[in-house]
Amino acid sequence: MAQKRIATLTINPALDKNSRNERVVPNDKLRCTAPEREPGGGGINVSRAIRRLGGESLAIYPCGGQIGALFKELLEEEGVTHRPVAIEGMTRENLTVFEEGSNQHFIFIMPGPELGEAEWQGTLDELSSVDPAPDYVVASGSCPPGVPADFYQQVAELAKEMGSRLIVDTSGEPLRLAAEAGVYLLKPNMRELGQLAGHEIESEEQQIAAAKELVGAGQAEVVVVSMGAGGALLVTEEVGQHLRTPTVPIRSRLGAGDSMVAGITLALARGLGLSDAVHFGVAAGAAAVMTPGTELCRRADTERLFEQMRAET
């Protein structure tokens, strides 16, 4: 079966630099290994993971300066189809340092360049110009300075006009406003689900009830609550299902959430049912945990874990 069309939208992409040292201490020169560089940011990572899983997508994102030029080059090397929208500012860089003595990651996240209205609006215009329109749109990641809190709400309205199913993975006010507009699938974590519900959530029963409230209010057709090592909750009007993650060796938890979204989206685009698609997403997230640094899921690991999960259900 042919894969349906997928587009990702990343309003705050970042060049991720990864390095290692023995110990992170204050007020000293920290001698690190030569950095590895990867294009990153929510939707960009989703597109990259989809590519690693054997699928195709179109990545739309703002891009500027010398860092932006390198960013585009790296996406080309990975074979990701992309449409950058030119901006005046410099594409941001993030830094992750792995402390070998403690096996911990220190993650330094930068805010991103300030975007003018014409620049962030340009990403929406680029999405609306995709012809034929994508069957699935993934809007994922934080918003940089200058981008209004209702940006993802505007994406939601645009996706409806295009006839696309929108999958949103963000946080805070942008998440709340996107939910108010109504989307196909929301992927909050447990803390974000509590923020959407307006109260603290502790038990799994409360999590399912809160997610069903979102579905009942028309804020999403599907809610997938990521639970880290606990797997994920799949909630629709009829379903409240806990999908447990396989036990895997942990090298780094970075990139697991984006890999999960990529796996869910690709599986849906390939025609899998919703439960199988979320199982595939959980498998992709677990596969990402097996890789070092910010590396995303690997296809062979994902497919093996997916078959293992299906055999156990």
Side-chain angles (χ1 to χ4, degrees), residues 1-6 136 264-272:
M1 181 182 295
Q3 178 201 308
K4 292 183 178 179
R5 296 176 295 274
I6 302 169
Y136 292 91
I264 293 171
T265 307
L266 180 59
L268 289 171
R270 286 173 168 170
L272 271 69

Side-chain angles (χ1 to χ4, degrees), residues 81-156:
T81 304
H82 61 111
R83 289 191 192 176
V85 175
I87 59 172
E88 290 187 12
M90 182 88 72
T91 296
R92 67 176 174 149
E93 292 180 281
N94 292 332
L95 173 64
T96 298
V97 177
F98 177 70
E99 187 182 60
E100 296 173 335
S102 66
N103 287 328
Q104 294 187 88
H105 288 90
F106 292 82
I107 308 163
F108 302 90
I109 304 296
M110 310 303 164
E114 183 165 356
L115 301 189
E117 182 176 355
E119 293 174 328
W120 60 259
Q121 183 64 50
T123 64
L124 299 180
D125 294 341
E126 193 66 49
L127 177 60
S128 68
S129 72
V130 177
D131 187 19
D135 299 283
Y136 292 91
V137 173
V138 179
S140 178
S142 62
C143 290
V147 174
D150 70 350
F151 178 77
Y152 285 109
Q153 187 175 49
Q154 294 186 49
V155 177

Side-chain angles (χ1 to χ4, degrees), residues 2-18:
Q3 178 201 308
K4 292 183 178 179
R5 296 176 295 274
I6 302 169
T8 66
L9 179 58
T10 311
I11 196 60
N12 201 17
L15 183 71
D16 289 327
K17 295 170 65 175
N18 304 284

